[in-house]
């Protein structure tokens, strides 16, 4: 519930375009953010289902790419989720700074419109 309230409030603050009413822009930002969060979850779910060695960077890039295509709200959600996930991994799981840096590179690549297939490993089923 707190996340939803934060998304709605942040959407009003971040949307400053003059061509639409503030409520419409804020609603669109929030809707895109929710959709972007769903895209990130779907990529995570697919990564877990695929359980394919060397494919994590591909799923990082794909989740961020799909989320960012929704618009500013989706890109914002992808950045927040990616940063939080990498922070948690470096603090809790101890996977190391190098792995986190590589994940963040893939995250940024996808979020900036780069083709996620750059990170696709050979042999990953076409389902993904």
């Amino acid at each position: 519930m707190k996340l939803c309230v934060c998304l709605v409030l942040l959407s009003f603050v971040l949307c400053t375009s003059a061509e639409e009413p503030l409520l419409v822009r804020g609603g669109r930002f929030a809707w895109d953010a929710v959709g972007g969060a769903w895209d990130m979850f779907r990529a995570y779910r697919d990564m877990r289902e695929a359980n394919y060695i060397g494919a994590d960077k591909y799923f990082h890039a794909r989740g961020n790419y799909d989320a960012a295509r929704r618009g500013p709200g989706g890109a914002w959600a992808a950045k927040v989720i990616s940063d939080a996930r990498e922070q948690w991994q470096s603090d809790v799981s101890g996977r190391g700074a190098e792995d986190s840096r590589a994940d963040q590179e893939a995250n940024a690549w996808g979020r900036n419109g780069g083709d996620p297939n750059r990170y696709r490993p050979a042999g990953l089923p076409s389902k993904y």
Side-chain angles (χ1 to χ4, degrees):
M1 184 63 182
K2 290 180 184 180
L3 179 61
C4 290
V5 171
C6 288
L7 286 173
V8 170
L9 291 176
L10 186 62
S11 67
F12 289 126
V13 172
L14 293 177
C15 297
T16 59
S17 178
E19 55 273 355
E20 293 178 324
L22 182 62
L23 189 58
V24 171
R25 288 190 313 256
R28 183 172 297 123
F29 184 90
W31 184 256
D32 290 347
V34 169
W38 173 253
D39 291 333
M40 295 293 287
F41 171 74
R42 194 176 68 239
Y44 175 76
R45 184 190 63 205
D46 288 349
M47 179 177 70
R48 300 286 297 201
E49 179 184 302
N51 195 26
Y52 197 86
I53 294 174
D56 65 325
K57 306 301 182 265
Y58 166 73
F59 288 107
H60 280 262
R62 195 192 85 188
N64 277 270
Y65 176 82
D66 291 345
R69 287 185 56 200
R70 292 182 180 271
W76 175 81
K79 179 156 178 49
V80 168
I81 291 168
S82 295
D83 289 348
R85 179 178 55 216
E86 293 309 318
Q87 183 66 42
W88 179 83
Q89 280 186 345
S90 66
D91 290 348
V92 177
S93 73
R95 294 180 83 169
E98 185 62 28
D99 184 61
S100 184
R101 186 203 57 75
D103 286 349
Q104 286 290 40
E105 179 185 306
N107 293 336
W109 176 263
R111 209 170 28 251
N112 291 324
D115 183 3
N117 287 315
R118 171 184 182 182
Y119 296 97
R120 185 181 190 89
L124 182 67
S126 61
K127 171 183 178 181
Y128 307 108

